[in-house]
Amino acid sequence: MLLAALLGEERVGLKVLDEKYHGGLIDDRIHLMLDELWEERIRAYYSTVAVEEAKRVIAARAGERIRKADTKLLDSLHAIVGAVQPSLALARRSGLSARHGQPERPDVEDIPWERLRPYSGADAAVTMREYRRQMQLPGWDNALRVYRLLEEPLFPVLHDIETTGIAIDTVRLASADAAIGAESIRVGERLRAILGDYDLTNPTALREALFEPTGPLPVLARTKEGAPSTARGVLEELAIEYPWVADVVEYRHLNQLRNSFTQGLVKHIVGGRIHGQIRQLRADRDEESGEQATNTWRLASSEPNLQNIPARGGEHSNISGDLIRKCFLPDTGTWFAADYSGIEFWIMGHLAQDPLILDWGNQPLEDGKPFDPHKATARLALGGKWDTLTDKEQRFWRSTYKNANFLLIFGGGAKRLVQTSRFSISLDDAERIVQQFWDLHPAIRDYHNRMIAQARQLGYVETLLGHRRYLPDINSHDNQERTRAERQAGNMPVQGTAADLIKLAVRHLWERVPRHTLNNIVHDEIDGSLPTGLTKVDFSAILNDSMVIHPQSILHLDVPIRIEVGYGPNWGEAK
């Protein structure tokens, strides 16, 4: 239905394009102005943006409106194009989105079809031209295979989740907003006692309050405009030497919680429910630098982004994301949360064939609980000292080594470990932990080196199931771009395989439960309402079959896949 609509409107669009651009929106401009590299980036831009625009206008076609589930078929073009070519992130970095960007337009459903049709046709023509061009490129057969295995089966699942939505406790949400607001006032008062009476929500005033010559802190980095940087990473680095700077991070965090969630969620509530979107293609942020990176095929939450609800509060605050999650209610009285347990760590063990991780992953259950690799890491690193520690000290070091295990497999370093640790650690401790990690896991370093070599040779890396990530900067002369691409070469097969796994699982689960059971997907977690008539034991068995047995039969990992299932009266209390 979608391709028929595209083909029908393509004829209209080709006439519009011919009149407006004298022969082609893509081809003539590119060949006149740009070399081969820029041509590739232009194609990446149009192939992604045109699909999104075509989806909006064709879905609104008068008299032939396509259901939301069907418009997700346009994501098939989006997914295929993204699998073959570098993603929209490249085009954005090239400045193309600003050059060709459009101002805000009225809702397409409010525009008469006779006025909308030429625009729709132009988008259809661009989309179909790019679709045919992609079919001739290397990698098309692989992209189509992966699309049919992983992406296409998700269309009805995501449609069901989005239309079902999530019930919201608006009274509790208002109470959470008040609690976060009160904590924000307390943190702000501590900062003003040090910095003076500045408007800490104003970026210019904050820079003036913090940095020399008017403030107490040295300037570690600057923005492109030359102003002192207040990026989170910069502030966390300063907090190592100036502990009170952690309050600045906390203050901004609390205000973001209010703006994005306790107040920001309100505008998304319709009839007591939130109906967010789950996207199959997105641009992720680089783990180490925080900069925009190309796609790893993770599912992304938007309008609102529920993946950004933090896991815990800051160092000086008791405010955690659970305060907000408690406002999300099940439809049957019991919420379930099924989460993969450290899946990226175990996938890394498989891909790197790390003997220690493989051994840990295949240890038998103890008292019904899986082997704890982070406690084992702390034991190995601390040696005989471990047995002399108090329970509190053991929790501290387990948490620290857990953070290190997940950070370092993705190429993090000592400074980042200090910044992200739940408990304060010194830079000397962090450097020691990093060295201990590489002493324990040399196979992971070898794996990263193999992936970098593969990316240089082939231009891409891929997941176990074949989702590809193109890395055109892997041979860049710019050291920063090349280093980021090298880190992505090692990270994407791990993160992307985890994304593939959850897509296999959620489709299989959706086929086995009543419609409207699933409410949300957040990272490696599937959430929803316990179906009426099923006990927790029975439903946990269904979850195990869909999330463990089924994907393992396809992926064949050398470590067992494990899930943790929690139940409760709301999302925040599903333990």
Side-chain angles (χ1 to χ4, degrees):
M1 185 176 182
L2 167 72
L3 291 181
L6 279 173
L7 288 168
E9 294 312 310
E10 183 185 19
R11 290 191 293 273
V12 177
L14 287 173
K15 184 175 184 297
V16 173
L17 293 177
D18 192 58
E19 292 173 354
K20 190 170 183 180
Y21 296 104
H22 308 291
L25 182 58
I26 299 177
D27 299 325
D28 290 347
R29 284 186 169 186
I30 286 173
H31 294 306
L32 286 173
M33 297 169 57
L34 303 168
D35 61 18
E36 185 177 348
L37 174 63
W38 284 88
E39 178 181 348
E40 186 175 89
R41 295 184 180 190
I42 285 277
R43 287 208 308 264
Y45 173 79
Y46 276 115
S47 62
T48 49
V49 173
V51 167
E52 287 298 317
E53 293 300 317
K55 179 166 61 176
R56 295 196 317 121
V57 295
I58 293 175
R61 180 172 179 167
E64 194 180 328
R65 187 165 297 170
I66 302 173
R67 293 181 295 110
K68 187 175 182 183
D70 292 330
T71 66
K72 280 189 174 295
L73 287 170
L74 267 165
D75 285 336
S76 69
L77 299 182
H78 203 162
I80 292 169
V81 165
V84 176
Q85 287 290 353
S87 78
L88 178 58
L90 282 175
R92 283 179 172 160
R93 197 173 69 221
S94 305
L96 297 174
S97 55
R99 187 183 309 163
H100 297 287
Q102 296 288 336
E104 286 293 322
R105 294 183 291 271
D107 193 311
V108 291
E109 293 190 12
D110 298 329
I111 302 174
W113 176 243
E114 60 271 14
R115 290 182 56 198
L116 186 63
R117 191 177 187 191
Y119 176 76
S120 171
D123 271 338
V126 170
T127 301
M128 291 306 298
R129 184 179 301 180
E130 189 59 29
Y131 180 84
R132 294 187 185 100
R133 190 194 304 264
Q134 296 292 337
M135 290 177 67
Q136 308 306 315
L137 294 174
W140 173 264
D141 290 341
N142 176 76
L144 196 60
R145 176 189 63 80
V146 174
Y147 155 68
R148 287 173 173 163
L149 173 66
L150 292 168
E151 306 301 337
E152 185 179 36
L154 281 184
F155 297 159
V157 182
L158 300 185
H159 176 244
D160 181 47
I161 293 173
E162 291 173 355
T163 55
T164 299
I166 311 173
I168 301 297
D169 185 336
T170 54
V171 174
R172 196 164 197 167
L173 188 64
S175 176
D177 182 64
I180 295 171
E183 182 65 17
S184 176
I185 290 172
R186 283 191 289 271
V187 175
E189 287 174 349
R190 291 200 299 263
L191 285 172
R192 290 185 181 90
I194 297 170
L195 299 173
D197 192 17
Y198 285 89
D199 180 5
L200 300 176
T201 62
N202 182 302
T204 302
L206 181 63
R207 289 190 183 99
E208 186 178 341
L210 290 178
F211 296 109
E212 297 171 344
T214 54
L217 299 176
V219 177
L220 297 188
R222 293 186 179 273
T223 65
K224 292 180 180 178
E225 293 75 26
S229 173
T230 59
R232 182 184 181 108
V234 172
L235 295 178
E236 288 173 337
E237 185 172 349
L238 284 164
I240 298 171
E241 186 172 350
Y242 305 90
W244 60 267
V245 176
D247 270 344
V248 180
V249 177
E250 178 68 9
Y251 185 79
R252 295 204 308 193
H253 163 72
L254 292 169
N255 281 280
Q256 183 184 14
L257 278 182
R258 297 191 78 193
N259 294 336
S260 299
F261 298 111
T262 56
Q263 295 177 359
L265 287 176
V266 173
K267 65 182 180 182
H268 294 286
I269 299 175
V270 178
R273 304 181 78 84
I274 284 176
H275 298 269
Q277 294 185 15
I278 302 176
R279 292 179 174 271
Q280 289 171 265
L281 185 69
R282 77 172 192 180
D284 291 300
R285 290 199 173 273
D286 181 73
E287 295 287 336
E288 176 72 3
S289 68
E291 296 182 21
Q292 203 73 9
T294 47
N295 188 56
T296 60
W297 301 104
R298 290 166 163 171
L299 295 172
S301 170
S302 64
E303 297 184 47
N305 184 354
L306 300 181
Q307 294 178 337
N308 277 354
I309 301 176
R312 60 173 186 266
E315 188 174 345
H316 302 290
S317 154
N318 293 320
I319 301 295
S320 75
D322 281 345
L323 189 66
I324 297 166
R325 289 187 184 88
K326 289 176 181 177
C327 303
F328 290 73
L329 303 176
D331 295 317
T332 60
T334 302
W335 184 281
F336 77 84
D339 183 34
Y340 284 106
S341 179
I343 189 62
E344 290 177 342
F345 183 74
W346 301 118
I347 289 174
M348 175 59 87
H350 172 87
L351 293 176
Q353 286 296 291
D354 183 280
L356 192 56
I357 297 178
L358 295 179
D359 178 61
W360 287 344
N362 286 284
Q363 291 293 318
L365 298 177
E366 295 181 4
D367 299 324
K369 296 181 179 181
F371 184 83
D372 185 343
H374 313 302
K375 183 178 178 180
T377 301
R379 272 185 173 276
L380 285 173
L382 297 175
K385 181 181 176 183
W386 173 264
D387 293 326
T388 69
L389 300 177
T390 64
D391 288 345
K392 183 178 180 180
E393 289 171 331
Q394 287 185 354
R395 287 194 299 271
F396 168 89
W397 286 112
R398 182 198 175 275
S399 173
T400 300
Y401 280 98
K402 176 182 179 180
N403 183 46
N405 281 341
F406 284 107
L407 178 71
L408 298 178
I409 64 172
F410 294 127
K415 284 187 177 180
R416 189 68 179 149
L417 182 57
V418 172
Q419 294 165 4
T420 58
S421 288
R422 184 176 182 182
F423 305 105
S424 296
I425 62 171
S426 68
L427 186 58
D428 286 343
D429 277 341
E431 289 173 344
R432 174 177 54 79
I433 290 169
V434 170
Q435 187 57 53
Q436 288 171 337
F437 178 87
W438 293 118
D439 289 343
L440 289 172
H441 304 289
I444 294 179
R445 191 188 298 278
D446 293 341
Y447 157 81
H448 278 280
N449 291 335
R450 287 199 308 275
M451 292 301 99
I452 291 169
Q454 176 183 316
R456 289 205 173 107
Q457 179 184 2
L458 302 177
Y460 63 84
V461 291
E462 60 186 0
T463 69
L464 282 177
L465 294 182
H467 258 141
R468 290 180 181 174
R469 180 175 187 169
Y470 285 81
L471 297 168
D473 290 334
I474 195 71
N475 295 311
S476 172
H477 295 296
D478 183 297
N479 183 63
Q480 185 175 2
E481 289 184 352
R482 186 179 65 255
T483 300
R484 183 164 59 246
E486 289 172 351
R487 186 164 56 248
Q488 291 164 0
N491 295 354
M492 183 273 176
V494 178
Q495 296 170 329
T497 296
D500 292 351
L501 187 153
I502 201 164
K503 289 175 182 179
L504 291 171
V506 74
R507 169 68 194 203
H508 193 267
L509 177 62
W510 181 78
E511 292 174 341
R512 299 200 53 192
V513 297
R515 297 294 81 90
H516 312 305
T517 293
L518 307 183
N519 295 108
N520 198 23
I521 304 171
V522 177
H523 300 303
D524 302 323
E525 177 179 304
I526 302 174
D527 299 293
S529 304
L530 176 66
T532 302
L534 283 178
T535 66
K536 295 176 183 178
V537 172
D538 291 339
F539 188 65
S540 292
I542 294 174
L543 289 172
N544 186 72
D545 182 59
S546 295
M547 296 181 69
V548 176
I549 298 173
H550 173 65
Q552 182 67 303
S553 70
I554 297 173
L555 290 169
H556 304 294
L557 297 178
D558 291 334
V559 288
I561 299 172
R562 303 188 193 278
I563 59 172
E564 295 177 353
V565 183
Y567 297 93
N570 53 60
W571 187 13
E573 296 180 82
K575 305 295 185 183

